[in-house]
């Protein structure tokens, strides 16, 4: 079984008639109508609505659904196909999956799609609700990446696109020889948008810190220019961490900057877990 109880860490078993999940200590978790599980007990929450807000989630969905990041999503699918294991199914986790764009692209573009048992986790309930509603061929849970309630050694590959995680927990839930695929911003990512916001724009550091016991297998830099329309440009701004810095006047300027070309720059790093210490 993929899940463990977030309260006592015993395995969770599905009760077929109700579709809810139980552990031996009788902690119980209902499956929501949209098909996701909420495995974030109230006592583990640090705020009422942890994670990204509904507004950020909507902006992200609007922007991503316009396919401006499709080349990067396809590169993720290609890497998954290239490193698929011999054993079936391949258990894949989209960590900090948000509203599920990359999960949907994995199922749409991986040649080995039918062999993928796909899971998504995010701490934001609104995002998981939206992800599950749109995708029935994946298993979504509301829970924290810091303490993901999955069984030890369950996953063959973990994807992390701009999301936080806990190194030890990544190692615990990944099989030995399993893969961690991380997407981080490259040096020039969203350069022209940042020029509106910062007096001096600094390049991101290109080096990606790998967790201990992982070995880098491949690294790809994908960069290209996009020309988002006004709605997508504003959605892109709203989904970035620098949105809160933007004053109204600047917001209007960016809104009027029709035809603005923006560089995207992504670093995809594939690392393999060599051994468990
Ligand atoms: C920048 S967004 C990226 C979402 C998605 N990977 C994408 O690229 O569309 C970061 C996501 O991490 C989630 N997040 C933040 N802290 C988290 C945690 N402790 N556990 C799980 N998810 C978390 C947020 O709710 C948000 O959906
Ligand atoms: Zn329990």
């Amino acid at each position: 079984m993929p899940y463990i109880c977030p309260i006592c860490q015993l395995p969770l078993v599905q009760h077929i008639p109700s579709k809810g999940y139980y552990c031996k200590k009788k902690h119980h978790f209902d499956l929501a109508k949209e098909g996701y599980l909420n495995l974030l007990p109230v006592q583990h929450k640090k705020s009422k609505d942890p994670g990204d807000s509904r507004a950020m989630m909507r902006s992200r969905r609007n922007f991503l659904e316009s396919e401006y990041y499709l080349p990067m999503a396809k590169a993720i699918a290609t890497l998954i196909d290239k490193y698929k294991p011999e054993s079936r199914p391949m258990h894949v986790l989209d960590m900090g999956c948000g509203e599920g764009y990359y999960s949907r692209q994995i199922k749409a573009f991986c040649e080995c799609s039918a062999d993928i048992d796909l899971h998504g986790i995010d701490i934001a309930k609104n995002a998981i609700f939206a992800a599950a509603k749109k995708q029935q061929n994946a298993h979504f849970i509301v829970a924290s990446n810091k303490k993901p309630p999955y069984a030890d050694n369950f996953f063959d590959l973990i994807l992390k696109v701009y999301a936080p995680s806990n190194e030890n927990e990544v190692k615990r839930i990944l099989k030995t020889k399993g893969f961690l695929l991380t997407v981080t911003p490259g040096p020039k990512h969203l350069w022209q948008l940042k020029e509106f916001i910062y007096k001096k724009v600094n390049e991101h550091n290109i080096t990606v810190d790998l967790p201990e016991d992982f070995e880098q297998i491949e690294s790809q830099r994908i960069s290209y220019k996009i020309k988002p329309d006004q709605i997508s440009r504003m959605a892109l701004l709203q989904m970035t961490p620098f949105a809160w810095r933007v004053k109204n006047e600047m917001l209007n300027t960016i809104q009027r900057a029709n035809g603005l070309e923006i560089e995207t720059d992504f670093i995809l790093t594939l690392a393999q877990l060599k051994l468990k210490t």
Side-chain angles (χ1 to χ4, degrees), residues 17-127:
S18 74
K19 293 194 173 158
Y21 282 76
Y22 296 80
C23 70
K24 271 203 172 141
K25 291 199 175 161
K26 301 231 174 340
H27 298 122
H28 164 239
F29 306 89
D30 286 331
L31 195 70
K33 181 161 75 33
E34 296 73 24
Y36 69 89
L37 262 181
N38 190 338
L39 296 181
L40 187 67
V42 190
Q43 60 269 37
H44 292 186
K45 282 191 186 184
K46 295 212 172 89
S47 65
K48 188 170 165 280
D49 289 312
D52 281 8
S53 67
R54 186 180 298 246
M56 269 183 112
M57 184 276 291
R58 285 223 176 109
S59 300
R60 187 166 292 118
R61 171 161 282 181
N62 288 340
F63 176 79
L64 292 172
E65 290 271 295
S66 301
E67 309 292 23
Y68 293 107
Y69 285 2
L70 188 61
M72 185 264 275
K74 284 188 172 171
I76 289 174
T78 305
L79 278 171
I80 294 177
D81 276 327
K82 186 169 171 188
Y83 292 96
K84 66 175 187 293
E86 295 286 305
S87 60
R88 307 268 190 291
M90 177 186 192
H91 300 292
V92 174
L93 176 63
D94 185 357
M95 211 171 205
C97 61
E99 59 70 50
Y101 176 75
Y102 296 101
S103 291
R104 294 192 292 282
Q105 306 316 307
I106 287 172
K107 277 290 185 185
F109 292 107
C110 279
E111 282 174 13
C112 66
S113 176
D115 293 326
I116 294 179
D117 168 44
L118 187 61
H119 292 256
I121 175 174
D122 201 286
I123 203 165
K125 189 173 162 194
N126 68 69

Side-chain angles (χ1 to χ4, degrees), residues 8-270:
C8 69
Q9 280 74 52
L10 288 173
L12 283 180
V13 179
Q14 193 169 26
H15 182 249
I16 296 305
S18 74
K19 293 194 173 158
Y21 282 76
Y22 296 80
C23 70
K24 271 203 172 141
K25 291 199 175 161
K26 301 231 174 340
H27 298 122
H28 164 239
F29 306 89
D30 286 331
L31 195 70
K33 181 161 75 33
E34 296 73 24
Y36 69 89
L37 262 181
N38 190 338
L39 296 181
L40 187 67
V42 190
Q43 60 269 37
H44 292 186
K45 282 191 186 184
K46 295 212 172 89
S47 65
K48 188 170 165 280
D49 289 312
D52 281 8
S53 67
R54 186 180 298 246
M56 269 183 112
M57 184 276 291
R58 285 223 176 109
S59 300
R60 187 166 292 118
R61 171 161 282 181
N62 288 340
F63 176 79
L64 292 172
E65 290 271 295
S66 301
E67 309 292 23
Y68 293 107
Y69 285 2
L70 188 61
M72 185 264 275
K74 284 188 172 171
I76 289 174
T78 305
L79 278 171
I80 294 177
D81 276 327
K82 186 169 171 188
Y83 292 96
K84 66 175 187 293
E86 295 286 305
S87 60
R88 307 268 190 291
M90 177 186 192
H91 300 292
V92 174
L93 176 63
D94 185 357
M95 211 171 205
C97 61
E99 59 70 50
Y101 176 75
Y102 296 101
S103 291
R104 294 192 292 282
Q105 306 316 307
I106 287 172
K107 277 290 185 185
F109 292 107
C110 279
E111 282 174 13
C112 66
S113 176
D115 293 326
I116 294 179
D117 168 44
L118 187 61
H119 292 256
I121 175 174
D122 201 286
I123 203 165
K125 189 173 162 194
N126 68 69
I128 288 296
F129 175 94
K133 204 163 175 198
K134 197 146 190 160
Q135 187 174 18
Q136 273 80 52
N137 59 10
H139 310 280
F140 292 100
I141 64 168
V142 181
S144 175
N145 288 351
K146 305 260 163 77
K147 227 172 177 285
Y150 295 107
D152 295 1
N153 307 311
F154 186 73
F155 291 104
D156 295 284
L157 185 142
I158 295 177
L159 169 70
K160 222 162 64 89
V161 186
Y162 298 126
S165 66
N166 173 301
E167 233 176 74
N168 290 330
E169 286 294 293
V170 166
K171 270 197 263 183
R172 179 183 68 75
I173 63 176
L174 201 56
K175 292 175 185 168
T176 304
K177 306 264 184 236
F179 295 99
L180 175 63
L181 176 52
T182 315
V183 180
T184 44
K188 291 279 188 183
H189 192 51
L190 306 184
W191 190 267
Q192 292 76 4
L193 203 53
K194 285 183 187 164
E195 279 181 331
F196 282 98
I197 299 159
Y198 300 103
K199 277 204 183 101
K200 185 175 180 302
V201 186
N202 293 317
E203 289 197 3
H204 279 281
N205 194 340
I206 205 162
T207 54
V208 177
D209 293 329
L210 291 183
E212 216 180 298
D213 301 327
F214 281 82
E215 181 184 72
Q216 185 169 310
I217 301 292
E218 263 198 47
S219 172
Q220 280 180 29
R221 183 168 173 190
I222 297 176
S223 80
Y224 55 93
K225 287 195 172 148
I226 58 173
K227 213 192 267 187
D229 61 20
Q230 190 183 61
I231 292 174
S232 298
R233 198 163 56 244
M234 299 321 279
L236 174 61
L237 183 65
Q238 294 308 326
M239 67 187 238
T240 63
F242 38 84
W244 61 273
R245 287 172 160 268
V246 185
K247 305 222 165 57
N248 273 346
E249 203 182 314
M250 188 53 75
L251 212 62
N252 292 336
T253 311
I254 297 172
Q255 199 159 21
R256 286 195 304 266
N258 288 331
L260 180 71
E261 278 201 329
I262 303 173
E263 269 174 279
T264 66
D265 191 0
F266 308 100
I267 310 283
L268 275 65
T269 309
L270 186 82

